[in-house]
Amino acid sequence: MRLSRPDAIELEYVQMMMMWLLFLEQPRRIAQLGLGSAALTKFCYQRFPQARIAAAELNPNVIAICEAMFGLPPNDARLDVRQMDANDFVHDPANHGTLDVLQVDLYDEEARGPVLDTPEFYQACCDCLTDDGIMTANVFGEYDNYDRNLRHMELAFDAVVWLPEVHDANIVVIAFKRAPVIDFSVLYERAAAIRKAYNLPAKKWVDGLKEWMRDHQ
């Protein structure tokens, strides 16, 4: 994050976590599991004034640092940053069927791989989504992590696609509760609009989706 531009997303893999924008233009409720530097939470809070934004972060020090140094605004009627376990968040029946977007970027201090990666966890993530809801997730670490996470996501979601690896072995996955109809001409038009409105490299996302579909037909 650049302190001079605290609401912008700088890292490529974090930008990729926003690729749900290709399919959802006006989300009503967005949740983030794992706060990190709060880049995604701040971006969504600032760019989607019609949406309610929630975040679950287990470590209270992370929340405190984001508030003190990284420009995370205080909770209000639209923003709800909670100090809690992400697993508890997705298993809470009050959250089921409520989210248009769920962004998952969970790791421990050593960043060896996602902290939560069981079939039960990803099923609970899917349960939190509306019928056309979308999850994006960062999968990283050893190759076994990729295989295990993707396999478990595929058990829960109707469609699971991953983009080519970016820096530091991060792979971003987009998972759909209900598989969309893909029209690449429409997606490229949408990508151009996203670039103009949000300054995000959305054409790369469409290129990645196209490459994935060519390789997995």
Side-chain angles (χ1 to χ4, degrees):
M1 190 195 76
R2 295 179 190 270
L3 293 177
S4 61
R5 300 172 61 212
D7 297 326
I9 302 175
E10 298 293 334
L11 295 179
E12 185 178 3
Y13 95 83
V14 184
Q15 292 173 340
M16 277 186 180
M17 295 282 285
M18 296 293 300
M19 66 178 163
W20 53 263
L21 274 168
L22 293 168
F23 303 93
L24 290 172
E25 295 186 38
Q26 298 293 331
R28 297 174 308 245
R29 189 167 180 217
I30 303 168
Q32 173 74 27
L33 304 184
L35 189 60
S37 66
L40 287 168
T41 299
K42 290 181 297 179
F43 187 90
C44 291
Y45 179 73
Q46 296 293 343
R47 302 308 198 281
F48 306 104
Q50 80 287 353
R52 293 169 55 201
I53 316 298
E57 170 56 53
L58 185 61
N59 189 337
N61 293 327
V62 171
I63 299 174
I65 290 170
C66 287
E67 291 174 340
M69 301 181 65
F70 297 159
L72 178 66
N75 284 349
D76 58 21
R78 290 183 47 240
L79 181 63
D80 182 16
V81 178
R82 310 177 194 177
Q83 193 262 306
M84 68 179 301
D85 191 309
N87 204 40
D88 292 337
F89 181 94
V90 297
H91 280 94
D92 184 348
N95 293 321
H96 289 179
T98 67
L99 301 177
D100 297 305
V101 177
L102 181 62
Q103 300 172 142
V104 182
D105 194 6
L106 295 167
Y107 49 87
D108 59 18
E109 290 88 345
E110 298 180 8
R112 291 168 297 186
V115 174
L116 298 171
D117 60 7
T118 65
E120 293 78 14
F121 170 70
Y122 285 121
Q123 182 60 59
C125 288
C126 187
D127 291 341
C128 286
L129 297 175
T130 57
D131 288 345
D132 290 311
I134 297 173
M135 180 184 77
T136 55
N138 178 33
V139 181
F140 55 95
E142 301 297 329
Y143 176 78
D144 287 348
N145 288 329
Y146 301 142
D147 185 59
R148 180 173 60 253
N149 278 269
L150 296 171
R151 186 172 67 249
H152 292 171
M153 288 180 201
E154 287 171 340
L155 292 173
F157 290 86
D158 198 20
V160 177
V161 178
W162 53 95
L163 267 60
E165 179 180 331
V166 292
H167 55 75
D168 297 329
N170 292 282
I171 287 181
V172 174
V173 178
I174 185 166
F176 301 88
K177 188 165 186 175
R178 180 162 57 193
V181 176
I182 301 286
D183 182 332
F184 281 105
S185 63
V186 172
L187 290 183
Y188 278 116
E189 288 181 7
R190 179 69 188 140
I194 292 168
R195 178 74 185 193
K196 182 176 180 180
Y198 305 110
N199 195 31
L200 294 172
K203 181 179 181 296
K204 284 186 178 180
W205 310 339
V206 183
D207 291 341
L209 292 172
K210 198 170 188 178
E211 179 182 337
W212 187 93
M213 291 191 72
R214 184 180 64 243
D215 293 344
H216 290 81
Q217 284 182 344

